[in-house]
Amino acid sequence: MINAILAFVSYLATAVILLAVFVLIYVWVTPYREFKLIHEGNTAAAVTLAGAVLGFTFPLVASIYYTQSLLEMVAWAGITCAVQLLVFIGLRGQAKMIEDGRVAPAILVATFSVTIGLLNAVCISH
């Protein structure tokens, strides 16, 4: 039982740290300041960040389930982070509209972030 609890704590702590690192990298890469915009009530920025977080988390969950070690999980998290950043870079043209609070472009970016994240997650199983 102790080994199972230690494994749980190790994976959970590592996953939370990886998620925090992803969020820090993501908000650093985007041309606007998500947390400031969200604090000001910009729903579009919140939707986009939520999509990116979910798009990162789904593959992270799959990597915890399908991999055999923390190191392998961390490697997949790195790949997943890169994929999510590529999604945003590919849709970078939406950034100004998101910064201006337009929700439709934010939904587009969030949808692609989640969709690519889900595809990434299922691909980890093979």
Side-chain angles (χ1 to χ4, degrees), residues 21-82:
V21 168
F22 168 75
V23 170
L24 290 174
I25 292 169
Y26 187 86
V27 300
W28 180 72
V29 167
T30 58
Y32 46 84
R33 304 291 53 108
E34 278 88 349
F35 293 115
K36 179 180 181 289
L37 292 172
I38 293 167
H39 179 74
E40 294 170 353
N42 185 319
T43 303
V47 167
T48 305
L49 182 58
V53 167
L54 290 172
F56 177 80
T57 302
F58 292 134
L60 186 59
V61 168
S63 72
I64 292 167
Y65 185 79
Y66 289 112
T67 62
Q68 304 303 312
S69 69
L70 279 173
L71 184 58
E72 195 176 356
M73 182 186 90
V74 170
W76 278 112
I79 292 166
T80 297
C81 179

Side-chain angles (χ1 to χ4, degrees), residues 5-21 60 64 70 73-74:
I5 292 171
L6 289 175
F8 167 79
V9 170
S10 297
Y11 274 86
L12 180 61
T14 303
V16 169
I17 290 167
L18 290 169
L19 178 59
V21 168
L60 186 59
I64 292 167
L70 279 173
M73 182 186 90
V74 170

